Amino acid sequence: MKRTHTCGILTENSIDETVRLTGWVNSRRDLGGVIFIDIRDREGVTQLVINPENNAELDDACRPIREEWVISATGVVRPRPQDMINHNIKTGAIEVAVTELHVDNSCKPMPYHFNDSQVSEDLRLKYRYLEMRRTNLGHHLRLRHKISKVLRDYFDRQGFIEVETPILSKSTPEGARDYLVPSRVFPGKFFALPQAPQQYKQILMVGGVERYFQIARCFRDEDLRADRQPEFTQVDIEMSFVEQDDLFEIVEGLFVDVMRAVKDIEISTPFPRLTYKEAMSRFGSDKPDTRFEMHLCDLSGVLNGSEFKVFENALSAGGVVMAINARGTAEIASRKKLDAWTDTVKLMDAHGLVWVKIDEHNEIKSPAKKFLSESELNAIISAVNAQTGDVILIVADQFSVATQALGRLRLEIAHSQNLIPENQYNFLWVHDFPLFDHDSENDSYIPIHHPFTSPREDDIELLSTDPGSARAQAYDVVLNGVEVGGGSIRIHDAALQKRIFDLLNISDADAGALFGHLLEALSFGAPPHGGLALGFDRLVMLLTGASSIRDVIAFPKTTRSSCLLTDSPSCVDAAQLDELKIDIRPGTEM
RNA sequence: GGGGUUGUAGCGCAAUUGGUUAGAGCACCACACUGUCACUGUGGAGGUUGCGGGUUCGAGUCCCGUCAACCCCGCCA
């Protein structure tokens, strides 16, 4: 017989009804003459009461029951005595007096306890099904589903169609390391799993699809982080006949719907827009967290001509002197703490950290004090608007090093000082990314985004004069300091595309072999188009408040890309390798 | 590839700066208990201290190596 109710729904409205519940034993309290069992399903928990004395069959049935056994119970809903009401659960006012109990399945002793919040992650990965049965992961998966439904509904309303693109795809040397799949039919040849459906979605535009989206699985064989998995999900979007602003509008509308559905929050649009340069200068990051201030301040101007070697050297080498004001940290800025902050900026390749502390007696303390004139010190203090109790933290270095080091320090201090408000969702766009990064080792250019990214029209002439300063029609969408998506307007003109390939030192022959299919497609009347991909897992992570991407993925991998649940990757049968004509080098197996 | 943290019972932890037989709690097993909700009480069982080597009269503790999980840098068009 099926259940009549779930375990989270019964209230005083159902008193005297005969019900049947099924679920797992959350806990069991055997008081001898009376036994309480909390039965749990995904909707909640209900207390069962068993008085076995006048029912030997019931007595036998419930005696061996332990945690996480699966049971079905039939009984009558009755109110609990007034002083026995449990206000911690929705069903706390009632209980079910059991008349019939059936054990559907037993359960081995649990490897860890469900109310243990400190369980090691190894176990949570190995016993993933138990982790889902606990509340958190299960809730995260339900929220994840809800968000994907909101996405699909939104895109459908906006005239997008979802198209699946191949998983067995073509390897290209650009970008991340590919996961390879050997071809049996073509021995020695390989498919690659897609890092993103990039080329397919552009080809869909040439195919006249006009508005495409896909909740797409992507694969990158790179080292992992708390917010990176080797296989992850992108919300992939591409549109024809649009410009950057049109895409921004579509994505902003999407987030309005998502935030309304998931958080019941009305976010305002349009999102703030920062150029890449502004983001780096003010926040030391291309994904600024604007939930707190502590902006970076450029002291290069006021310190121009300083005789302090640290500043002088940086400035004369074309660098900058940047600072942040760690407000109110003078008291905690011990020698040890300042050393730790110095380590942080050194980690980001800065040479060191100069600090200026204004202590509670308004006395200025700094290892650089004797090298700086009074007017320089005052200029620094007024530039960052420092007051009693503040600590000014200064890095003198090349622009990218100084800004990134301070950007990182800014986040570290904000976290440790609890400067970041909860339940605030700051979306913003970062745009005008550089088109290329210059690789000084090989004196060559590398695309910041990908080689199909269109330059800004007003920067096209820079391609021949100064490609390094050309800006791209590329943009990221950032939520609370996390890059949740990025994209670009693509090149739809074969001649411009060839010019870019030339700059990237990709020969016609190579371009043909690697991207010939795309180039040919572009030459058959490709519409202007552009798009963006959202990191779906990261988005769900932010909206659930999870601290790792693993907590919103049903079956995630470890930081070494292994799966503790299935124990993969694993060795394969010699016959399988033989079919693929693959030999494993001796001594390689572990 | 590099840096760091952790590894003791099924779980989360303790073990006097190298010293007797590695402990208590939860879980497990048994018994008792009619209003609990992390039930309680009594008793029991449970250990290759991740693995391998070394120093020492003696190693959970010190040293070297290794494995695993996690965090960060590089990497992630």
Side-chain angles (χ1 to χ4, degrees):
Chain A
M1 186 174 114
K2 283 170 66 172
R3 61 182 165 194
T4 57
H5 297 76
T6 65
C7 297
I9 203 167
L10 291 172
T11 63
E12 285 154 309
N13 297 332
S14 300
I15 281 166
D16 290 338
E17 282 180 36
T18 295
V19 299
R20 184 179 167 87
L21 301 177
T22 60
W24 289 269
V25 174
N26 203 48
S27 75
R28 168 183 188 276
R29 297 175 293 280
D30 181 352
L31 276 61
V34 60
I35 298 173
F36 297 99
I37 290 176
D38 289 344
I39 185 171
R40 183 197 71 242
D41 63 18
R42 65 179 205 180
E43 307 301 336
V45 175
T46 301
Q47 175 166 281
L48 305 176
V49 195
I50 295 140
N51 288 88
E53 58 184 359
N54 42 19
N55 188 335
E57 209 175 315
L58 204 51
D59 189 34
D60 289 346
C62 70
R63 206 46 70 181
I65 287 175
R66 292 292 182 274
E67 284 179 14
E68 297 308 311
W69 284 35
V70 185
I71 59 173
S72 324
T74 306
V76 179
V77 180
R78 69 183 190 202
R80 295 197 196 184
Q82 197 58 36
D83 51 342
M84 297 299 162
I85 289 175
N86 185 342
H87 296 284
N88 296 322
I89 56 174
K90 281 184 292 183
T91 61
I94 55 94
E95 60 193 7
V96 174
V98 176
T99 52
E100 215 183 306
L101 187 80
H102 182 252
V103 171
D104 295 310
N105 208 346
S106 63
C107 177
K108 291 205 294 187
M110 296 288 281
Y112 59 88
H113 213 252
F114 271 10
N115 56 25
D116 185 347
S117 57
Q118 308 290 327
V119 193
S120 73
E121 193 157 8
D122 314 26
L123 282 170
R124 297 174 47 218
L125 289 171
K126 179 171 180 186
Y127 298 100
R128 204 60 181 167
Y129 37 88
L130 299 180
E131 199 56 18
M132 288 171 195
R133 214 185 285 165
R134 297 214 301 184
T135 50
N136 261 1
L137 179 57
H139 284 169
H140 291 175
L141 293 178
R142 289 170 83 173
L143 188 84
R144 189 180 167 115
H145 161 77
K146 187 171 182 181
I147 296 171
S148 69
K149 170 145 171 49
V150 172
L151 295 172
R152 286 198 162 97
D153 290 346
Y154 175 80
F155 284 124
D156 182 61
R157 276 203 314 279
Q158 298 289 339
F160 286 75
I161 61 169
E162 183 165 21
V163 182
E164 290 158 279
T165 53
I167 294 295
L168 294 176
S169 181
K170 181 180 165 108
S171 177
T172 61
E174 302 283 328
R177 192 177 292 114
D178 283 323
Y179 275 100
L180 296 176
V181 180
S183 161
R184 173 182 58 81
V185 183
F186 300 96
K189 292 190 174 179
F190 296 84
F191 294 103
L193 305 182
Q195 298 171 25
Q198 181 59 37
Q199 296 178 42
Y200 293 111
K201 69 174 173 176
Q202 290 192 241
I203 291 170
L204 286 171
M205 294 303 103
V206 183
V209 169
E210 293 197 23
R211 292 190 166 206
Y212 145 89
F213 86 101
Q214 180 182 194
I215 297 183
R217 195 67 67 84
C218 305
F219 306 85
R220 294 179 189 175
D221 186 6
E222 296 290 349
D223 290 340
L224 307 184
R225 290 284 190 283
D227 62 352
R228 278 179 4 207
Q229 280 277 299
E231 54 180 311
F232 61 100
T233 305
Q234 281 188 347
V235 181
D236 199 39
I237 306 165
E238 195 77 9
M239 300 173 75
S240 293
F241 309 114
V242 290
E243 293 174 350
Q244 194 165 286
D245 284 354
D246 304 308
L247 270 155
F248 284 10
E249 204 176 305
I250 286 286
V251 172
E252 285 165 357
L254 175 66
F255 281 122
V256 167
D257 276 15
V258 169
M259 295 307 289
R260 189 180 290 148
V262 171
K263 291 279 175 188
D264 200 21
I265 289 176
E266 292 298 321
I267 56 171
S268 60
T269 59
F271 298 164
R273 296 177 192 188
L274 289 173
T275 65
Y276 171 79
K277 190 87 180 175
E278 287 168 346
M280 295 308 295
S281 306
R282 280 168 58 194
F283 299 96
S285 169
D286 61 1
K287 41 179 196 278
D289 191 335
T290 57
R291 288 174 297 172
F292 63 102
E293 298 273 329
M294 216 196 298
H295 292 154
L296 274 62
C297 177
D298 190 346
L299 302 176
S300 307
V302 300
L303 292 173
N304 197 17
S306 172
E307 288 177 15
F308 182 32
K309 282 284 175 221
V310 172
F311 295 165
E312 189 190 346
N313 290 344
L315 290 170
S316 64
V320 293
V321 182
M322 304 286 289
I324 54 174
N325 181 359
R327 290 194 188 282
T329 58
E331 248 175 73
I332 61 145
S334 60
R335 185 67 213 217
K336 197 174 162 193
K337 177 65 82 180
L338 290 161
D339 284 348
W341 288 347
T342 304
D343 287 345
T344 296
V345 298
K346 282 185 172 170
L347 186 70
M348 303 304 287
D349 288 333
H351 289 99
L353 182 70
V354 176
W355 51 267
V356 177
K357 192 194 287 194
I358 307 178
D359 72 10
E360 66 272 27
H361 311 299
N362 249 350
E363 199 170 314
I364 296 168
K365 294 188 170 158
S366 171
K369 197 175 174 184
K370 59 188 169 202
F371 303 111
L372 293 169
S373 70
E374 196 163 318
S375 66
E376 283 170 340
L377 263 179
N378 287 333
I380 292 172
I381 289 167
S382 75
V384 299
N385 190 23
Q387 294 157 8
T388 310
D390 291 355
V391 178
I392 307 165
L393 300 164
I394 307 169
V395 173
D397 220 304
Q398 291 301 306
F399 177 84
S400 67
V401 173
T403 50
Q404 285 179 60
L406 284 173
R408 168 90 177 216
L409 192 55
R410 174 180 177 268
L411 288 175
E412 184 179 318
I413 292 171
H415 278 118
S416 66
Q417 298 295 105
N418 285 321
L419 299 182
I420 304 179
E422 278 176 41
N423 297 318
Q424 189 174 326
Y425 294 90
N426 283 17
F427 288 90
L428 60 89
W429 291 103
V430 177
H431 63 110
D432 280 357
F433 276 85
L435 188 58
F436 303 117
D437 203 9
H438 188 251
D439 175 8
S440 45
E441 253 176 63
N442 305 315
D443 191 30
S444 62
Y445 291 102
I446 302 162
I448 295 266
H449 188 51
H450 57 54
F452 317 113
T453 304
S454 176
R456 275 178 58 125
E457 289 197 16
D458 45 352
D459 281 4
I460 282 182
E461 55 189 66
L462 286 172
L463 293 181
S464 28
T465 57
D466 182 13
S469 8
R471 290 164 298 171
Q473 297 192 59
Y475 35 81
D476 283 351
V477 58
V478 176
L479 168 56
N480 291 352
V482 177
E483 179 198 325
V484 290
S488 63
I489 300 296
R490 329 297 183 186
I491 298 169
H492 65 277
D493 173 71
L496 181 58
Q497 185 66 69
K498 180 175 166 4
R499 240 177 121 186
I500 299 290
F501 282 149
D502 287 346
L503 275 166
L504 298 173
N505 283 327
I506 298 174
S507 69
D508 286 355
D510 285 348
L514 296 171
F515 312 115
H517 48 280
L518 179 65
L519 292 174
E520 186 165 32
L522 291 179
S523 69
F524 280 102
H529 61 286
L532 165 139
L534 303 174
F536 187 57
D537 314 275
R538 278 185 195 173
L539 182 63
V540 179
M541 177 175 88
L542 288 168
L543 296 182
T544 54
S547 54
S548 164
I549 199 176
R550 294 184 294 273
D551 294 337
V552 298
I553 295 175
F555 302 105
K557 303 220 167 12
T558 69
T559 49
R560 293 188 72 219
S561 297
S562 68
C563 173
L564 298 181
L565 173 68
T566 61
D567 200 22
S568 65
S570 57
C571 296
V572 297
D573 208 75
Q576 287 177 278
L577 291 175
D578 194 49
E579 274 189 326
L580 299 166
K581 308 290 185 281
I582 287 177
D583 289 331
I584 306 294
R585 279 195 220 164
T588 308
E589 300 100 348
M590 286 186 59

